[in-house]
């Protein structure tokens, strides 16, 4: 049974929930932070400094740890300038490389490396249901990021560790992530489906995404896993369901794709494209979703 895990990106949306769930199971957490002010120390929660840009890392972070969960990565919902695209890519790949190189040079007991990844690797499609067996890759910048991210993680396999890649869908949470951005225009009475509204949203509740990490950790499962709820919905349905929760009728026409492209540039793929993604693999291994349907997830979060 795992007793201590090292988490990167621990103060982010998924990290904070995962720490709560680890502590609930009696698993102690070490975490890496780039901010010395964010270092805390208690019996089951200890922070350690690292600076991936300079290749610095506090080696004490690895003490008594048997698994690493890597959640670090710059936000993809900031404007994609050429410079910021580099930041998105480096924040994922350089950090993994630093962990890998550090472990090559020290004695450690780590047997399992779990990293975040994204369903955006799959091509945009309105009809195809993607499973982990699918090998087609989209031609977007985000897919390119996911490919590089997963390739960096694969190196840990060469060092005899189990490697798991968690291909994450749209994470729904109260305060952060996609949901508040979807809710805001609806609350203001100007909500509308985006583009055709037919693009799929393979969503997942914050408790379930953290739950999947914990499940992989406890059962030491390796491989690729789609971390999405069993019932994806189209953008127009999600918009309608949120509007119904606030009793705000949708009266505006769909927001045209060209307007979103003008406003967001290349980043418009985030809202205009989507993938229909299967959660069957993780379910067959025994993970039980707390939030199976969007209705229940929204009920809980709104």
């Amino acid at each position: 049974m795992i007793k201590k895990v090292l988490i990167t990106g621990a103060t982010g949306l998924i990290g904070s929930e995962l720490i709560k769930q680890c502590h609930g199971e009696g698993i102690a957490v070490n975490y890496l932070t780039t901010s010395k002010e964010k270092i805390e120390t208690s019996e089951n929660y200890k922070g350690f400094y690292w600076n991936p840009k300079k290749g610095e890392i506090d080696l004490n972070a690895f003490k008594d740890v048997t698994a690493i969960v890597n959640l670090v990565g710059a936000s993809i919902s900031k404007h994609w300038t050429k410079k910021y695209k580099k930041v998105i890519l480096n924040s994922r790949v350089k950090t993994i490389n630093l962990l890998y190189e550090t472990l090559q040079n020290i004695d450690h007991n780590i047997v399992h490396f779990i990293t975040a990844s994204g369903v955006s690797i799959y091509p945009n499609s309105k009809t195809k249901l993607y499973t982990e067996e699918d090998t087609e890759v989209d031609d977007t910048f985000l897919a390119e990021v996911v490919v590089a991210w997963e390739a960096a993680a694969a190196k840990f396999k060469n060092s005899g560790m189990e490697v798991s890649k968690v291909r994450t869908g749209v994470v729904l949470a109260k305060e952060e992530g996609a949901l508040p951005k979807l809710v805001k225009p609806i609350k203001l009475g100007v909500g509308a489906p985006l583009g055709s509204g037919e693009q799929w949203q393979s969503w997942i509740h914050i408790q379930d995404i953290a739950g999947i990490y914990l499940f992989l950790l406890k059962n030491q499962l390796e491989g690729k896993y789609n971390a999405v709820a069993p019932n994806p919905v189209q953008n127009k349905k999600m918009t309608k369901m949120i509007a119904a929760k606030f009793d705000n009728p949708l009266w505006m026409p769909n927001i045209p794709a060209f307007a979103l492209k003008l406003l967001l540039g290349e980043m418009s793929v985030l809202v205009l494209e989507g993938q229909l993604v299967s959660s069957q693999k993780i379910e067959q291994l025994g993970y039980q979703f707390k939030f199976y349907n969007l209705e229940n997830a929204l009920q809980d979060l709104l």
Side-chain angles (χ1 to χ4, degrees):
M1 176 61 194
I2 177 158
K3 293 198 171 67
K4 190 181 274 191
V5 62
L6 174 63
I7 301 180
T8 70
T11 52
L13 179 63
I14 297 170
S16 313
E17 176 64 26
L18 178 58
I19 288 166
K20 237 188 288 177
Q21 293 191 20
C22 282
H23 286 161
E25 294 280 332
I27 299 169
V29 173
N30 283 359
Y31 67 96
L32 288 166
T33 174
T34 54
S35 158
K36 288 182 176 167
E37 289 73 57
K38 282 188 183 172
I39 292 176
E40 289 178 46
T41 300
S42 65
E43 196 187 341
N44 61 357
Y45 185 59
K46 289 190 173 78
F48 300 89
Y49 178 74
W50 73 333
N51 183 334
K53 280 186 190 145
K54 291 184 178 170
E56 292 171 14
I57 192 164
D58 183 344
L59 299 180
N60 294 312
F62 300 99
K63 192 176 182 308
D64 302 328
V65 164
T66 53
I68 296 176
V69 175
N70 176 57
L71 301 171
V72 74
S75 167
I76 55 166
S77 49
K78 265 171 74 173
H79 203 63
W80 294 359
T81 58
K82 209 170 179 177
K83 194 175 166 191
Y84 191 65
K85 278 163 78 170
K86 229 178 207 153
V87 171
I88 290 174
L89 187 63
N90 287 344
S91 67
R92 286 158 175 77
V93 176
K94 275 195 169 163
T95 46
I96 290 187
N97 289 343
L98 176 57
L99 289 169
Y100 178 74
E101 282 150 24
T102 306
L103 291 181
Q104 294 304 297
N105 297 315
I106 61 169
D107 284 336
H108 63 84
N109 301 309
I110 293 158
V111 293
H112 196 185
F113 183 79
I114 306 176
T115 186
S117 177
V119 296
S120 44
I121 191 168
Y122 302 120
N124 173 44
S125 173
K126 293 193 175 74
T127 52
K128 181 166 169 58
L129 178 66
Y130 288 105
T131 72
E132 292 82 350
E133 302 302 307
D134 284 297
T135 53
E136 303 103 294
V137 172
D138 205 357
D139 58 3
T140 61
F141 165 66
L142 280 187
E144 192 187 307
V145 169
V146 175
V147 169
W149 207 357
E150 292 193 353
K155 290 190 296 199
F156 288 81
K157 190 103 183 109
N158 310 338
S159 302
M161 289 176 231
E162 306 281 18
V163 174
S164 319
K165 300 160 190 171
V166 183
R167 291 181 170 172
T168 311
V170 178
V171 178
L172 300 182
K174 254 191 193 102
E175 312 296 337
E176 277 182 75
L179 192 58
K181 292 186 181 82
L182 292 167
V183 165
K184 198 176 169 185
I186 290 169
K187 270 188 163 173
L188 294 170
V190 291
L194 306 173
S196 69
E198 285 167 17
Q199 64 277 34
W200 286 99
Q201 314 249 259
S202 291
W203 62 274
I204 186 165
H205 189 289
I206 182 65
Q207 283 180 30
D208 279 317
I209 179 70
I212 285 174
Y213 277 101
L214 188 63
F215 182 77
L216 296 175
L217 204 52
K218 284 168 66 182
N219 296 292
Q220 216 182 306
L221 295 167
E222 66 164 345
K224 297 175 198 137
Y225 297 93
N226 291 333
V228 295
N231 292 296
V233 295
Q234 287 175 307
N235 172 264
K236 57 186 175 188
K237 184 171 184 188
M238 186 179 270
T239 311
K240 272 183 190 151
M241 286 170 83
I242 295 170
K245 283 270 169 281
F246 292 107
D247 240 359
N248 269 5
L250 297 174
W251 56 273
M252 285 180 65
N254 287 22
I255 297 167
F258 77 84
L260 289 162
K261 283 178 184 164
L262 276 177
L263 183 68
L264 301 170
E266 194 183 349
M267 190 177 139
S268 61
V269 297
L270 287 177
V271 292
L272 290 174
E273 296 191 358
Q275 301 83 2
L276 179 58
V277 179
S278 166
S279 62
Q280 217 175 350
K281 181 176 176 181
I282 196 85
E283 286 182 274
Q284 284 173 344
L285 288 165
Y287 181 75
Q288 291 181 323
F289 280 86
K290 291 185 182 73
F291 297 93
Y292 217 80
N293 293 310
L294 186 59
E295 181 60 45
N296 313 21
L298 293 178
Q299 192 67 45
D300 178 66
L301 296 167
L302 301 176

